[in-house]
Amino acid sequence: MIIREDLLLAHGAVYKEFQPDEIIFEEGSQPKYYYQICTGTVELFNYHSNGKEFIQNILNDGQSIGESLLFTDRPYPMNAITKTNCILLCLGKNDFNNLVSQDANVMQNLLQCLSERLYYKYLMLFNLSGIEPATKIKTVLDYIKDYNLREVSDTVQVPFTRQQIANLTGLTVETVIRTIKKMETENILKIERGKIHY
């Protein structure tokens, strides 16, 4: 949880429920709220000119959505859509800015969150510029593991579908399926009941 729910509520945040495939905000719209996921999964994405979807990030419980843009006057450069039933806490931009300016712990948590996301973007940018599909997929899997686990030796079940991995890496779903099967034969990961364990 980036900001405690009780703190957000005390500053005027309200709960809002979303059904799967509901748009939270669209590319080009102005940021007006701080969004924090209480429950559910949200996808940040863009469309290429050919209509192909490119996933920027997939966010879950306790994570915030598009918060960095509340510090600028720029519009959203991506879309946000719910992938499951979601409950979000929504706090108006002015109330959010007041909260951040008044509470050093909140600012520290936001800076840590933004730093983690920037780190992820740097990794993805470098590794996605490569040619090898296994390197691209491994970068996504490493990030998921690093984000979800403290011990590198532990295994994590990957919460993404093959299509989502394809959209995150710019690969085709067929390439992702083939590469994941090859990675399994090389003992890099395991597939159990259709789920990837890394």
Side-chain angles (χ1 to χ4, degrees):
M1 186 96 8
I2 307 253
I3 304 175
R4 290 190 341 257
E5 287 187 33
D6 62 324
L7 196 54
L8 288 170
L9 292 167
H11 282 81
V14 294
Y15 290 104
K16 187 168 181 191
E17 293 186 27
F18 291 83
Q19 301 299 311
D21 298 320
E22 263 192 79
I23 294 171
I24 299 168
F25 58 75
E26 293 181 285
E27 182 177 354
S29 64
Q30 286 299 128
K32 294 180 183 173
Y33 296 96
Y34 169 80
Y35 297 101
Q36 187 163 290
I37 305 168
C38 298
T39 60
T41 301
V42 173
E43 194 173 273
L44 302 180
F45 68 98
N46 296 93
Y47 288 109
H48 289 285
S49 57
N50 63 2
K52 185 177 178 186
E53 182 181 270
F54 179 79
I55 297 176
Q56 297 281 349
N57 209 342
I58 299 172
L59 306 169
N60 296 294
D61 301 6
Q63 295 183 299
S64 55
I65 308 165
E67 69 288 339
S68 62
L69 294 158
L70 293 170
F71 297 104
T72 72
D73 290 324
R74 296 183 181 274
Y76 287 114
M78 73 291 201
N79 304 290
I81 191 168
T82 57
K83 299 309 285 181
T84 62
N85 287 319
C86 290
I87 298 174
L88 305 182
L89 262 171
C90 308
L91 181 65
K93 182 176 181 175
N94 290 336
D95 293 327
F96 170 77
N97 287 329
N98 289 336
L99 172 59
V100 169
S101 66
Q102 293 169 9
D103 193 320
N105 289 330
V106 169
M107 178 58 86
Q108 184 65 35
N109 288 346
L110 279 169
L111 288 173
Q112 184 175 350
C113 170
L114 292 172
S115 296
E116 287 289 333
R117 289 198 184 153
L118 202 52
Y119 175 77
Y120 166 71
K121 291 293 182 187
Y122 286 140
L123 283 179
M124 291 300 290
L125 185 61
F126 174 72
N127 287 311
L128 291 180
S129 66
I131 311 168
E132 282 297 314
T135 302
K136 294 179 180 187
I137 293 169
K138 191 171 181 318
T139 299
V140 171
L141 299 180
D142 284 342
Y143 174 74
I144 293 166
K145 189 170 196 170
D146 184 52
Y147 183 81
N148 289 292
L149 294 175
R150 294 282 178 233
E151 297 294 325
V152 179
S153 60
D154 291 340
T155 301
V156 66
Q157 180 177 309
V158 177
F160 301 155
T161 65
R162 272 88 167 152
Q163 183 63 61
Q164 287 173 319
I165 293 171
N167 292 347
L168 279 164
T169 57
L171 299 168
T172 65
V173 72
E174 294 82 10
T175 300
V176 168
I177 291 167
R178 271 194 316 274
T179 305
I180 286 173
K181 284 181 183 175
K182 184 176 182 215
M183 291 170 80
E184 182 183 33
T185 63
E186 295 170 351
N187 294 318
I188 296 170
L189 54 80
K190 291 181 183 175
I191 300 172
E192 296 174 7
R193 295 186 190 142
K195 299 291 183 182
I196 302 167
H197 295 265
Y198 180 70

